[in-house]
Amino acid sequence: MKNADLQRRKDIATPRGVGVMCQFYADRASNAEIWDVENRRYIDFAAGIAVLNTGHRHPRLMHAIEQQLGKFTHTAYQVVPYESYVELAERINAITPGDHAKKTALFSTGAEAVENAIKIARAATGRSAIIAFSGGFHGRTMMGMALTGKVVPYKVGFGPFPGEVYRAPFPIPAHDVRTEDSLAALQTLFKSDVDPKRVAAIILEPVQGEGGFYAAPVEFMQALRKLCDQHGILLIADEVQTGFARTGKLFAMEHYDVIPDLMTMAKSLAGGMPLSAVCGRAEIMDAPAPGGLGGTYAGNPLAVASALAVLDVIKEENLTARAEQLGQQLKEKLHSLRKRVPHIADVRGLGAMVAVEFNKPGSAEADADFAKKVQTRALERGLLLLICGVYSNVIRFLFPLTISDDLMDEALTVLEAAMLEA
Ligand code: PMP
């Protein structure tokens, strides 16, 4: 009854705009499992939307947070600084792609990192225009919404959005948009809408997250780098969802042999504590004047302590290799189901950033109902799955990379049953 009671209180006390997927309420969690207030257990393949690559309550993170709790929980870094912020910046500068001089600023949310990356790009270039892509997701703030390439539910009723944001189609060959098409669209933008010399930055997710787990083709990313260099445009990689070992590399940009000028990161950076960052070329990062960047909570010490532990855990537990291995296992399972589940239109993924896309059998028409049914059946059997995609017909898998082999096997058995039953 507890869940039903809480659900009633929730409906009265909180707005429907904060859409909630589950009707059960969390009580406790450990690594890849979560228990509700009625003591029902779920295998967590959502991981707090890609936040828990190191699992729920990793002992190393808990220890680091407890240590920090005993010292101080907040000073406002801009008022009284602390070493851990500087150390985290040093470590992010060292592990991100490119061996040029870099600097890092910390914030709290992914959207805030995106906002600040745009501020920094504008300050550094003295230009105002930004180019983003269809299907991209960059957050729920005003600029985040302006950059986001999906109207329902993110933008409905919330405009007008900040100006000078232009959009090109993201290349998805499976949807008949090829790299050449996207590059041609950019040229058209430069001809018909905006002088490339007025463009401050092009921002994209190397693998679109909310948009459906579509990886940018390598030749596209490389062409974008060239285009940016040609016109003095900055390339911003939004790695909020792709970062910290999810794709089998520490950052997804490592799959492309392309160095972005600025990178945003959040989610699994601090393993469940709110923390985000913008890392970039030192001279670009230094463009805004003192006081132009920051925020009261930006770089919270408990979150920073957790992030330092996350970086240790990823290295010591070799989570990049583990992501590759788990992703492979999952893709094999999904491929093996193709004959029995004709709705499966595509199985894809870099490392453990894996997704399965559903169409109506024998057609190219997206089947959102089927994805929803799989999700519901899986949840009934205790497996938490997330849907994504512009047509809501994709199931994405975001299990903790620290998941045990036994639990992974159990989850795949549930997934198979849910797909066959849907
Ligand atoms: N960028 C990307 C690529 C994301 O996936 C998200 C969150 N899904 C955001 C930005 C926004 O992050 P937040 O919800 O922490 O503001």
Side-chain angles (χ1 to χ4, degrees), residues 49 109-112 114 137-139 205 210 238 240-241 266-267:
I49 325 184
T109 66
E112 215 187 345
V114 168
F137 183 85
H138 299 286
E205 301 157 88
E210 306 303 313
D238 183 348
V240 166
Q241 191 152 162
K267 295 201 186 264

Side-chain angles (χ1 to χ4, degrees), residues 323-386:
E324 197 54 60
Q325 182 208 340
L326 289 166
Q328 206 51 43
Q329 183 187 355
L330 172 56
K331 277 188 269 190
E332 277 165 24
K333 179 71 172 187
L334 291 167
H335 280 302
S336 78
L337 285 168
R338 285 186 99 133
K339 273 200 217 83
R340 285 185 289 162
V341 185
H343 301 77
I344 297 179
D346 191 27
V347 171
R348 59 176 171 270
L350 279 182
M353 197 164 174
V354 171
V356 54
E357 179 157 347
F358 300 114
N359 284 350
K360 302 231 157 84
S363 92
E365 197 187 330
D367 198 338
D369 287 345
F370 189 78
K372 185 80 207 153
K373 272 190 209 151
V374 172
Q375 184 189 41
T376 306
R377 296 286 96 86
L379 198 59
E380 285 163 5
R381 291 165 178 268
L383 174 65
L384 201 52
L385 296 173
L386 290 182

